[in-house]
Amino acid sequence: MLPELKFGYVGAGAYLPDKVLTNDDLATIVDTDDEWIRRRTGIRERRILAEGESILDMAVGAARAAIADADIDASEITDIRVGVNTWARFPSLATQVQAALGLEGCSAADVSAGCAGFVYAVEEAYNKLYVERIRDHRAGTALIVGVDGLSHITNWQDRSTCVLLGDGAGAVVMREVDSGGILAIRTSAEGRHGQLLYCESALEAQWDPSGPGPFNHATQGVRPYLHMDGRKVYGVAVKTMVEEACGVIDIFNRDNPSPIGVEDIGFVYPHQANLRIIEKVAARLEIPLDRVYTNGIECFGNTSTASIPIGYVDPAARERAAVAGDYEIDVAFGSGFASGAILRQVGSTPTS
Ligand code: ACO
């Protein structure tokens, strides 16, 4: 029997660029209008990186806010995991967050899992904290960031995708807690659907037929863009998010003498891809919409791996503040049809 250890969030923070792009702004770029975007997606506006503002700036801003909220010294951090899809370079973003925070030596790595990247990153950090606590008797502290600069891979001529996307970052600090914390996590993927939602590589191995062999060089003049078959993705997103939410409860119930049901869930943070997806997921789970985070999609658009942790600190997230003992679920779905869910319980000192 594995020891029962509790790990949970002790701080949360977010960073959203100041620059706002409204639906009316987009209507000056592509053939669209505010009414279509609101009706089909629920999006009113989104934040976009300004010139000179970077994905690293967002990640570090969210990390600093989470560290301040946790009221810890950054030097206590033993592991940094960054869920990100738009940092197409190396060194990894996590190592650059580490450097910007003035930290040395702690482990740091990026996690690429589409819009489910934050859930995957939390799972990796949780497992590491758990193993190191048992194997090395070391009480660690993890910093987990979800960040994406989707404006970098947006095709501003494609009205079916450019209206959906936004930039942002969210972060949490996670460590051992006395009460509440993470009760179960599950993740899965269906890579065979890769071509329904993808972005090309900026770097491709290219064969030069006139030369002696293949040469790696940057693709000249071609930007990598996000491509999506929105209709096909939509159907699978709803089904998968419902399965993930129910599945994570099942995992918890396996070892639990007092099983819980969907009706016991106090609040859900779904990935903010489209209001209609969120509403359908809530309806299928029979969870009233006032117990589901929706403000992110309306005000920030689809911020991919950042959307769930942004919700943790969004003052408009919920009417009733979290109460100790409440069960909460995070559920995400995205590219690679990678998906996942986290079941958490609010501790005796609820985090923001
Ligand atoms: N403005 C006006 N008209 C538009 C726009 C626009 N921005 N975009 C498309 N249209 C038109 C289309 O051309 C089409 O016109 P037609 O009937 O004359 O051919 C019509 O609207 C319907 O287009 P659909 O693509 O069928 O519209 P749909 O109702 O499916 O909505 C949407 C599109 C919003 C993209 C939806 O399919 C969706 O949300 N899909 C899932 C998105 C998602 O979950 N993504 C996962 C994560 S994303 C990530 O990982 C970054």
Side-chain angles (χ1 to χ4, degrees):
M1 182 82 177
L2 288 168
E4 252 201 56
L5 296 172
K6 294 185 173 73
F7 298 95
Y9 305 156
V10 295
Y15 179 105
L16 287 150
D18 288 337
K19 191 172 166 55
V20 175
L21 197 66
T22 66
N23 293 343
D24 288 340
D25 292 334
L26 281 165
T28 67
I29 306 172
V30 287
D31 181 13
T32 190
D33 57 81
D34 178 56
E35 200 271 332
W36 191 97
I37 301 173
R38 280 193 199 220
R39 187 161 42 83
R40 302 276 183 140
T41 72
I43 300 169
R44 190 160 46 85
E45 58 188 38
R46 68 288 292 144
R47 302 296 180 88
I48 300 289
L49 285 165
E51 204 178 348
E53 191 178 28
S54 70
I55 292 170
L56 176 60
D57 293 336
M58 293 197 291
V60 173
R64 287 211 166 103
I67 291 165
D69 188 44
D71 199 17
I72 63 160
D73 194 281
S75 62
E76 295 172 51
I77 292 165
T78 54
D79 181 38
I80 302 174
R81 300 279 142 169
V82 178
V84 62
N85 304 288
T86 46
W87 185 260
R89 73 205 75 169
F90 57 84
S92 72
L93 182 54
T95 62
Q96 299 313 286
V97 170
Q98 181 204 46
L101 294 176
L103 305 180
E104 291 172 16
C106 70
S107 64
D110 292 352
V111 181
S112 169
C115 299
F118 178 75
V119 173
Y120 271 73
V122 169
E123 182 180 51
E124 286 193 8
Y126 177 94
N127 290 345
K128 188 167 162 57
L129 286 174
Y130 193 99
V131 168
E132 287 181 349
R133 176 74 166 75
I134 293 180
R135 190 191 58 199
D136 310 331
H137 308 287
R138 188 158 79 115
T141 299
L143 168 69
I144 304 129
V145 182
V147 58
D148 262 310
L150 291 177
S151 64
H152 287 194
I153 55 164
T154 299
N155 178 353
W156 297 102
Q157 305 301 314
D158 177 6
R159 67 176 181 172
S160 68
T161 54
C162 75
V163 300
L164 304 171
L165 313 172
D167 299 332
V172 294
V173 173
M174 183 164 72
R175 55 167 40 170
E176 202 166 341
V177 290
D178 295 333
S179 61
I182 290 175
L183 304 175
I185 310 180
R186 61 170 258 163
T187 49
S188 52
E190 290 292 349
R192 68 202 155 91
H193 298 302
Q195 288 308 304
L196 295 179
L197 175 52
Y198 71 95
C199 177
E200 307 90 344
S201 169
L203 291 166
E204 297 276 359
Q206 295 203 344
W207 187 265
D208 179 355
S210 62
F215 299 96
N216 278 316
H217 59 82
T219 306
Q220 300 291 308
V222 180
R223 277 194 70 93
Y225 287 134
L226 180 145
H227 304 266
M228 178 169 66
D229 184 332
R231 215 152 249 205
K232 287 193 179 141
V233 174
Y234 184 96
V236 188
V238 172
K239 183 172 165 289
T240 308
M241 285 169 78
V242 171
E243 284 169 3
E244 289 289 1
C246 295
V248 81
I249 294 174
D250 287 346
I251 291 175
F252 174 63
N253 285 344
R254 251 191 255 147
D255 302 318
N256 184 5
S258 344
I260 63 167
V262 173
E263 64 284 0
D264 297 306
I265 303 302
F267 204 77
V268 182
Y269 291 94
H271 166 50
Q272 308 283 292
N274 181 320
L275 184 59
R276 289 189 301 161
I277 293 178
I278 299 169
E279 286 173 346
K280 271 227 156 76
V281 170
R284 291 213 186 146
L285 291 173
E286 297 183 21
I287 294 181
L289 215 53
D290 63 358
R291 286 199 266 136
V292 180
Y293 178 55
T294 58
N295 189 58
I297 190 67
E298 187 183 347
C299 296
F300 314 126
N302 180 345
T303 53
S304 185
T305 188
S307 79
I308 289 174
I310 286 172
Y312 296 156
V313 291
D314 184 345
R318 51 166 84 197
E319 279 172 22
R320 184 183 72 93
V323 171
D326 277 358
Y327 294 103
E328 298 185 345
I329 283 183
D330 310 308
V331 58
F333 170 87
S335 172
F337 287 15
S339 58
I342 304 171
L343 175 65
R344 297 179 285 103
Q345 189 171 32
V346 178
S348 48
T349 46
T351 313
S352 34

